[in-house]
Amino acid sequence: MNITILPNLVIMTTDNETLMGALVRHHLPVQNICNGKGTCGKCKVKIFGSVPQPSERDIEYLTNIEISNGIRLACAVKPQEGMVVELDFTEVQDRKEGIHLGMKLNALNPGVEKVFVTPSKPSLVDERGDWDRIVDELSTVTGKSYGRASLTVLGKVPDILRSSNCAVTATVCEDEIIDVEAGDTTQRLYGVAVDIGTTSVATALVDLNKGEIMKVVSTENGQTAYGADVISRITFARESQENAMKLRTAVRRTINNLLEELSVRSKVNTNEIFKMTIVGNTTMQHLLLGFDASHLAVSPFVSVCNRPLDFRAEDLEIKINPNARIFLLPNIGGFVGSDTLGAIVGAPIVLESGNHLLVDIGTNCELFLKTEQTMVACSTAAGPAFEGAGIAHGMRAKPGAIESVTLTEEGEVSYQVIGDQEASGICGSGLIEGIDEMRKVGIVTKQGKFVDPEKVQLSSEFQKRIIMGEKGREFVFSWTDQEADVTLSQKDIGELQLAKGAVCAGIKTLVEMSGITVHDLDSVILSGTFASYLKASNIINIGLVPDVPLEKIKTVGNAAHVGALLALLDQQELAKSRELYSKIKHVELGGSSEFSNYFMSSMYLERQN
């Protein structure tokens, strides 16, 4: 049967699939945190015309106003002929976008260059082949030897030479000629650095002649339709080869869509992009390449390959110049992937003299510790709470999200909303600051429990905002239309405690294993776009990281993406990543009794020693 997706897309559904299944199959944007299991309540769609009766899931997760307005959960809807559906096409204002623009880059040695040559025309006294005369002239100009080229490039040569009157530009990488073009195109040489995150993907377009970042764009990772975290995606991929193919296709499509957006915004043809560097956690790399990720899910968590890899763009179906080189930075071990190595390269302060801890905060949190004696790394599953998933009114950092909260003991409540509009939810930074503020004014205890407003002394405003929800007490940050209030519940606080407890316990364990103490740390460096929007006092107060002097906490933005950019622009930085990965010891926390003990104590909303 056919259904319409506004504004004008008609799709066909099958007899035994839900609306969610149809949307995912047609690659349409829909929140699917729980992979269609009906446990997240995020896959909201609006249905017009023949609106189905609300299901038990709808009643559990949606407000009465949402239900009356035709909102339903796609995972619980059976498509009907002629159904009209509206999806949330609001453009995500991802904080990754633009964060690197204006970044100054010192070295410029991308390892790929364009050389303009004018070989002599063929004659009866010079019967060299077309390719031979290009290679000979190129070697004369550069003083280097070139012995390799693809069949595609070789086949282009006769027409290129004659159409340009023997004036051509050769693009070279190491000893290979990867493209030839008519005329002088030496001023148009571009590269892209890609950061594949579990939740979102960021791309940066760079002029490789000038070392200038031209555009940075990002979007949600298309794989989120199949699960919110790495374990759920590995599980999905293990179910069938078809599922594994869906994940591979989804992330490649995400990258290609971003490349098209970069092209439109910058007027750079994707065929002019000749180099790409990619960072991402180990699971993201496996799913991109189509590797079997099943062994990552069971001890001893072995990857297919940790070494640095490089491919032609056409091998990975990435829509840039087919012969462009794509370099994947190496993984470190287990779930600690090339994004951690990229962050180390992108935040070189962590390699300076002393004891330095790098914390890359995300759905999968990676930790790297450098002491005078060793370099060690580990990962800990913080889960998607920092991205707003698993939180009743949680959302990503986009317009409408509460990103900052202030409470005073007098009962004043103020907050900042991304986009300066009415609040529609709360993102990770708002969640952390909101809970810390609730803790400071006595609304919640260090155990993360709501106080009984009738038994403690609180302002009348706070007492009014502590309401009883279906599953316990909630605190109202934003009063909106009737049942659309933005609140934090007891369960939401528990989700944050689990996430922050895992990070803090991982830090304590890694520090102990390295033979130092938290007090011996010279710096705690927070990496990741999300971390850039956190206040040091908040993360110390709730125990996201152990109690260190605030001046020791530094934020470095999305250092993983910076590392990819540096490797794109400087072959020496790429070489550095290839040297570092074999020197870093990977530590597995899964079977550590120390981690388990620290995790329990790290759940408290208080400073952690």
Side-chain angles (χ1 to χ4, degrees), residues 213-447:
I213 301 173
M214 301 173 64
K215 292 289 180 183
V216 180
V217 296
S218 66
T219 191
E220 186 173 59
N221 187 334
Q223 293 179 339
T224 57
Y226 306 103
D229 54 38
V230 295
I231 297 300
S232 62
R233 292 182 205 172
I234 292 173
T235 302
F236 181 76
R238 292 175 66 180
E239 291 175 356
S240 69
Q241 190 62 38
E242 181 184 1
N243 284 358
M245 185 74 71
K246 287 178 180 178
L247 288 166
R248 187 186 76 178
T249 300
V251 68
R252 292 183 180 184
R253 184 189 305 111
T254 300
I255 294 172
N256 286 330
N257 288 344
L258 289 171
L259 290 168
E260 185 62 31
E261 183 176 354
L262 287 171
S263 176
V264 171
R265 289 197 189 187
S266 63
K267 296 181 172 55
V268 170
N269 191 299
T270 53
N271 203 54
E272 298 176 299
I273 299 171
F274 289 95
K275 182 181 178 183
M276 177 180 284
T277 52
I278 297 178
V279 296
N281 66 51
T282 315
T283 306
M284 294 303 101
Q285 185 206 70
H286 279 54
L287 298 179
L288 169 73
L289 299 178
F291 288 167
D292 179 7
S294 60
H295 298 294
L296 285 172
V298 294
S299 181
F301 312 105
V302 177
S303 64
V304 172
C305 177
N306 286 336
R307 293 175 179 270
L309 299 170
D310 66 271
F311 303 91
R312 295 181 187 275
E314 61 182 354
D315 295 335
L316 300 184
E317 301 173 337
I318 300 299
K319 295 180 180 178
I320 54 179
N321 189 286
N323 289 312
R325 297 286 293 279
I326 297 182
F327 297 89
L328 287 85
L329 273 65
N331 300 313
I332 293 174
F335 286 102
V336 184
S338 60
D339 51 350
T340 302
L341 201 54
I344 296 168
V345 173
I349 183 176
V350 76
L351 296 176
E352 292 180 357
S353 177
N355 303 316
H356 302 283
L357 174 70
L358 177 72
V359 184
D360 195 351
I361 303 177
T363 305
N364 191 58
C365 180
E366 291 87 20
L367 309 173
F368 168 76
L369 176 62
K370 179 264 173 191
T371 71
E372 296 294 354
Q373 287 76 38
T374 186
M375 291 191 291
V376 292
C378 68
S379 66
T380 181
F386 293 140
E387 297 283 353
I391 307 301
H393 295 278
M395 61 188 292
R396 292 186 57 208
K398 63 181 182 179
I402 294 175
E403 63 174 344
S404 179
V405 176
T406 301
L407 307 181
T408 68
E409 292 185 357
E410 291 73 27
E412 296 178 1
V413 178
S414 60
Y415 52 83
Q416 183 175 340
V417 179
I418 297 175
D420 294 324
Q421 61 190 60
E422 185 177 14
S424 55
I426 188 165
C427 65
S429 59
L431 174 70
I432 288 175
E433 186 166 24
I435 290 177
D436 185 29
E437 291 289 292
M438 292 165 66
R439 180 199 60 80
K440 285 192 291 187
V441 298
I443 295 172
V444 296
T445 67
K446 71 176 184 178
Q447 289 83 13

Side-chain angles (χ1 to χ4, degrees), residues 578-596:
R578 293 178 167 184
E579 294 172 4
L580 272 173
Y581 94 98
S582 60
K583 298 178 181 179
I584 301 171
K585 178 183 177 183
H586 174 252
V587 174
E588 177 53 51
L589 299 181
S592 168
S593 58
E594 290 86 356
F595 175 78
S596 298

Side-chain angles (χ1 to χ4, degrees), residues 83-141:
M83 182 177 281
V84 179
V85 179
E86 181 178 14
L87 306 178
D88 180 14
F89 283 105
T90 303
E91 183 178 358
V92 174
Q93 182 177 314
D94 195 295
R95 289 163 162 180
K96 293 181 188 293
E97 296 187 18
I99 199 167
H100 305 311
L101 292 178
M103 186 179 72
K104 300 301 180 183
L105 301 160
N106 298 323
L108 184 58
N109 175 29
V112 57
E113 63 177 328
K114 282 189 171 184
V115 183
F116 177 62
V117 294
T118 55
S120 60
K121 297 179 180 179
S123 67
L124 291 176
V125 296
D126 184 1
E127 296 181 330
R128 287 176 299 162
D130 293 333
W131 177 250
D132 300 305
R133 65 184 62 252
I134 288 179
V135 172
D136 291 344
E137 184 66 18
L138 189 60
S139 295
T140 299
V141 171

